[in-house]
Amino acid sequence: MKQTLLGQVAVVTGSSRGIGRAIAQRLAREGAVVVVNYRQSQEAAKVVVDTIRGQGGQAEAVSFDVSDAQAVNHAIRDIFNRHGRLDILVNNAGGTLDQLLLRLREDEWERVLRVNLTGTFLCTKAALRWMLRAHYGRIVNISSVASHLGNVGQTAYAAAKAGIEGLTRSLAREVATRNITVNVVAPGFIATDMLEQLPDVLKQAYLQLIPMGRWGKPEEVAEVVVFLVQPAAAYVTGQVIGVNGGLYM
Ligand code: NAP
């Protein structure tokens, strides 16, 4: 079958595990050279790279913390210099720190916003420089159904993810004439390490709310991301696409 992203370079933040890993593997199957970013799980990132290479794809692992502006700028510049292009950025790295608002400390609030929202801003800004020059780019930001439904204990997380959606719509307008699209994929409950952190009783309660009656798979999120980064998806921008089994309509 024809590979639709042959020769393109894609950076997927936080792709050593979970949803990011599935996105990286799926982009590689379409022929993209994939940069597997992680912060600390070096071994896991190496396994992702080895798996992609084992299937005939191209990938490399690059560690940087998305919330560290200097590290992001250095890494993205280096990626561009080595490959001579940067076509796709998937801002997937993120994390939760669940706490009721009254108990949520300011440093915890800052930490959640820093990784999810500021990280998206920093990586986007660094990559956009090269995309603007090329008059081409595909940016997909990963938010969450939590930003639409709200979730007890997730005021910071939901605020950060809602922020990502506002950023996306505004940036989509800024760069639309340059053939750069900016979209959001908002997963529902997806079976990853993040879901594992939830207490069983909460998981059972959430499962009851999902019309499809099951958790999503990382591969099901990856499929939507791959659609959005296709050259053919050129007229889709500023959109938020849910992948949630009907949890939020
Ligand atoms: P996960 O399994 O916990 O994996 C998180 C990934 O992000 C890891 O590769 C981790 O690498 C990386 N990461 C975390 N902080 C980072 C940082 N500061 N800099 C660079 N990399 C960092 O998470 P997931 O469930 O796949 O979630 C992926 C995305 O989907 C997140 O944005 C999350 O908010 C969103 N989401 C998930 C769900 C769900 O149900 N799973 C639902 C809605 C939205 P290290 O291990 O090296 O830190």
Side-chain angles (χ1 to χ4, degrees), residues 13-21 23 37-42 44-45 63-68 91-96 114-116 119 142-146 157 161 164 185-198 215-216 218 221:
T13 67
S15 49
S16 56
R17 293 185 278 125
I19 294 171
R21 173 173 60 194
I23 295 169
N37 159 256
Y38 64 100
R39 183 182 41 180
Q40 55 199 14
S41 43
Q42 187 176 6
S63 170
F64 60 86
D65 182 337
V66 296
S67 66
D68 177 341
N91 285 304
N92 166 79
T96 51
R114 187 98 210 145
V115 174
N116 291 282
I142 306 297
S143 76
S144 168
V145 73
Y157 182 68
K161 294 303 195 185
I164 286 175
V185 171
F189 290 101
I190 310 297
T192 68
D193 293 349
M194 190 180 272
L195 191 69
E196 282 310 306
Q197 291 167 17
L198 289 177
W215 308 124
V221 180

